[in-house]
């Protein structure tokens, strides 16, 4: 690798048996990895290990042999299963010292809660000899930045509590400024958000772009239940160079697969829809049966959604469809609740009752029961009605099939409905 892209290498170690038993999700590692990118430090490995001292020492030793900085979370509390400090002490052959600033902070917090200091609480202010204490502004256990000496090639061990709010404050106030002074590179990450296209199809559309990436730039495919994100990451000697390389690849990809791209950056599909509706002065209502309110929930998670989003109906029963949306009983009996005819009537009824620019309707079979040979589990009928310039409503209806369990199908139904609305908004913009 050329000097142009040399950088510090970081590893993250998350300590705790609860992580290995599946009782907790490792949110600490994802937070640390994300913020390290802001100071140009790439993460090369993430490890979870038990709180057994011998296991921790082994993991620390291996990580320090590979990385310049090893960031550890967990095991710094006052209880018997908090053994991280002892594992590092034994590995590095260092003693402990009492950090007076940390002790004063512990005493202040203990007094503020009307409690009495004891030996366990005082132990929260103990740090390894030669280390720099990391103030804990959200708790009692001090963190520490430990230089590991020539034995480990000048690498550093950074020990922090596992409580997320405590760790995050330490990272932002102490660790990131320290790393910023050491980092010799800049990293730029740009997500390209797509919908309505599979991972393999995307790969087939951009093979030449992927094969000619600038040095220091990588492309990752991040498929999930709702679609595929492409992550373009560039690392270079400075931010301008990383940004230039990154932008060139992003532009090339969007030029090739732009028909499926709803956002470049961190915007969600629902956020993009709210923005487009708001910019054009358009309004929206939804009528949901099989999605059970998920469309309304996703839209109203977006700040500012109260401007375009007017109303949502959850009409799970046939009676609700009849009473709230004026869907004819005979129509349901003739075609079934899950049909394009009923979806169309739901959307038109929603449009009429809410008086909005658009009305989106869903009716389907999420499972596990309720399917038939003609309408299997995973069937969704969705309709999008809109008010035309002449005042007459127009409705478009389609049926799609998904494959999954009940919750997966509901999520995919919701994504399909939002995608249909986004496509309509984009079509109007292009027109």
């Amino acid at each position: 690798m050329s000097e142009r892209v040399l950088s510090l290498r970081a590893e993250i170690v998350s300590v705790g048996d609860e992580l290995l038993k599946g009782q907790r999700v490792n949110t600490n590692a994802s937070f640390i990895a994300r913020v390290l990118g802001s100071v140009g430090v790439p993460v090369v490995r993430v490890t979870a290990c038990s709180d057994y001292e011998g296991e921790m020492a082994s993991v620390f030793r291996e990580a320090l042999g590979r990385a310049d900085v090893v960031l550890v979370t967990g095991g710094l509390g006052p209880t018997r299963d908090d053994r991280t400090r002892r594992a590092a002490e034994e590995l590095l052959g260092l003693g402990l010292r009492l950090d007076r600033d940390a002790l004063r902070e512990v005493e202040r917090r203990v007094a503020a809660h009307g409690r009495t200091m004891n030996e366990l609480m005082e132990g929260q202010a103990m740090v390894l000899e030669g280390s720099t204490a990391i103030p804990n502004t959200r708790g009692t256990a001090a963190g520490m930045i430990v230089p590991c000496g020539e034995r480990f090639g000048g690498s550093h061990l950074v020990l922090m509590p596992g409580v997320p709010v405590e760790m995050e404050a330490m990272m932002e106030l102490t660790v990131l400024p320290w790393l910023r002074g050491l980092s010799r590179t800049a990293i730029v990450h740009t997500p390209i958000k797509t919908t309505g296209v599979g991972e393999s199809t995307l790969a087939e559309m951009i093979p030449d772009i992927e094969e000619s990436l600038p040095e220091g730039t990588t492309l990752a495919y991040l498929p999930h239940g709702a679609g595929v994100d492409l992550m373009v990451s560039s690392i270079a000697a400075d931010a301008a160079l990383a940004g230039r390389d990154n932008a060139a690849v992003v532009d090339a990809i969007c030029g090739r697969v732009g028909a499926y791209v709803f956002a470049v950056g961190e915007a969600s599909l629902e956020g993009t829809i709210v923005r487009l509706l708001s910019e054009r002065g358009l309004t929206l209502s939804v009528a949901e049966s099989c999605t059970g309110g998920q469309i309304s929930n996703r839209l109203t998670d977006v700040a500012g959604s109260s401007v375009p989003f007017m109303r949502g109906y959850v009409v799970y029963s046939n009676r609700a469809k009849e009473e709230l949306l004026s869907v004819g009983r005979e129509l349901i009996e003739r075609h079934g609740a899950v049909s394009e005819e009923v979806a169309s009537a739901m959307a038109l009824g929603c449009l009429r009752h809410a008086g909005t620019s658009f009305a989106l309707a869903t009716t389907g079979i999420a499972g596990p029961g309720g399917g038939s040979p003609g309408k299997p589990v995973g069937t969704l009928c969705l309709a999008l009605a809109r008010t035309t310039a002449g005042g007459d409503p127009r409705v478009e209806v389609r049926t799609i099939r998904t494959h999954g369990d009940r919750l997966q199908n509901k999520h995919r139904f919701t994504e399909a409905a939002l995608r249909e609305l986004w496509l309509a908004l984009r079509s109007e913009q292009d027109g």
Side-chain angles (χ1 to χ4, degrees):
M1 186 177 294
S2 72
E3 190 68 29
R4 181 173 180 267
V5 292
L6 286 177
S7 64
L8 295 177
R9 292 163 56 88
E11 290 199 21
I12 300 170
V13 178
S14 302
V15 173
D17 287 347
E18 68 277 8
L19 298 174
L20 301 177
K21 295 174 182 176
Q23 297 170 330
R24 292 287 186 276
V25 176
N26 192 358
T27 58
N28 282 347
S30 61
F31 173 84
I32 294 172
R34 185 170 64 254
V35 298
L36 286 180
S38 69
V39 294
V41 178
V43 175
V44 296
R45 187 171 302 200
V46 175
T47 305
C49 74
S50 75
D51 48 26
Y52 171 64
E53 288 176 38
E55 183 65 24
M56 281 191 279
S58 175
V59 171
F60 295 168
R61 183 185 301 109
E62 293 174 4
L64 287 168
R66 293 185 297 259
D68 302 295
V69 182
V70 178
L71 300 101
V72 182
T73 62
L76 290 183
T79 57
R80 291 184 180 274
D81 62 347
D82 292 310
R83 305 184 179 100
T84 300
R85 188 187 295 109
R86 290 199 296 273
E89 184 182 354
E90 290 184 14
L91 173 65
L92 301 175
L94 298 173
L96 294 175
R97 66 175 178 85
L98 180 66
D99 187 87
R100 295 295 175 183
D101 291 336
L103 179 61
R104 282 191 289 272
E105 180 61 22
V106 174
E107 291 173 338
R108 185 189 68 78
R109 288 186 173 276
V110 169
H113 286 86
R115 301 167 64 188
T116 303
M117 282 287 291
N118 58 38
E119 186 176 347
L120 287 176
M121 294 176 182
E122 185 173 313
Q124 297 286 271
M126 300 296 290
V127 299
L128 293 174
E129 292 177 343
S131 69
T132 299
I134 305 174
N136 190 339
T137 61
R138 305 296 295 273
T140 56
M144 62 199 86
I145 299 173
V146 189
C148 298
E150 294 183 4
R151 176 185 170 194
F152 292 105
S155 296
H156 286 78
L157 194 63
V158 179
L159 306 182
M160 296 176 288
V163 180
V165 293
E166 297 181 27
M167 175 277 296
E168 291 171 10
M170 288 186 175
M171 286 294 298
E172 292 169 354
L173 297 175
T174 303
V175 179
L176 288 180
W178 170 68
L179 286 172
R180 190 176 288 112
L182 297 178
S183 178
R184 303 181 297 275
T185 53
I187 299 175
V188 175
H189 298 295
T190 302
I192 302 173
K193 304 292 189 70
T194 72
T195 183
V197 62
E199 182 181 7
S200 59
T201 302
L202 282 173
E204 290 173 356
M205 296 174 71
I206 57 172
D208 55 322
I209 297 174
E210 196 164 2
E211 291 170 3
S212 59
L213 295 172
E215 182 180 11
T217 295
T218 59
L219 174 63
Y221 293 81
L222 308 175
H224 47 86
V228 181
D229 296 341
L230 300 175
M231 181 65 74
V232 181
S233 302
S234 300
I235 182 168
D238 58 64
L241 184 56
R244 186 196 69 188
D245 289 348
N246 193 269
V249 175
V250 169
D251 290 346
I253 292 174
C254 289
R256 195 73 59 80
V257 304
Y260 303 103
V261 175
F262 66 82
V264 174
E266 295 297 342
S268 63
L269 181 56
E270 53 268 32
T272 299
I273 288 169
V274 167
R275 177 182 59 81
L276 291 172
L277 289 168
S278 299
E279 288 176 351
R280 301 175 196 178
L282 301 172
T283 55
L284 172 69
S285 56
V286 299
E288 303 184 63
S289 182
C290 56
T291 48
Q294 285 193 13
I295 297 173
S296 299
N297 182 64
R298 282 180 60 172
L299 289 167
T300 55
D301 277 345
V302 180
S305 57
S306 60
V307 175
F309 185 72
M310 296 291 103
R311 191 178 303 181
Y313 300 90
V314 178
V315 286
Y316 210 66
S317 67
N318 290 345
R319 181 178 175 183
K321 294 177 179 67
E322 296 168 17
E323 293 180 351
L324 297 178
L325 300 176
S326 303
V327 177
R329 180 178 301 179
E330 68 284 354
L331 189 70
I332 297 175
E333 292 175 349
R334 186 183 316 124
H335 299 283
V338 179
S339 62
E340 292 190 353
E341 289 81 5
V342 168
S344 176
M346 288 170 61
L348 289 170
C350 184
L351 191 73
R352 183 168 58 255
H353 285 285
T356 49
S357 309
F358 286 93
L360 188 60
T362 60
T363 178
I365 306 168
S372 67
K375 297 177 183 178
V377 169
T379 298
L380 168 68
C381 296
L382 63 89
L384 179 64
R386 69 191 77 188
T387 303
T388 64
D392 296 324
R394 184 171 87 249
V395 62
E396 296 172 359
V397 191
R398 62 182 301 222
T399 298
I400 69 168
R401 302 276 195 270
T402 67
H403 301 280
D405 61 27
R406 182 177 180 83
L407 295 182
Q408 289 171 333
N409 282 333
K410 287 181 67 177
H411 183 67
R412 289 165 182 167
F413 291 170
T414 300
E415 186 72 14
L418 290 171
R419 181 168 61 245
E420 196 72 11
L421 177 56
W422 170 70
L423 287 171
L425 290 170
R426 191 189 65 176
S427 176
E428 286 198 351
Q429 183 182 38
D430 295 341

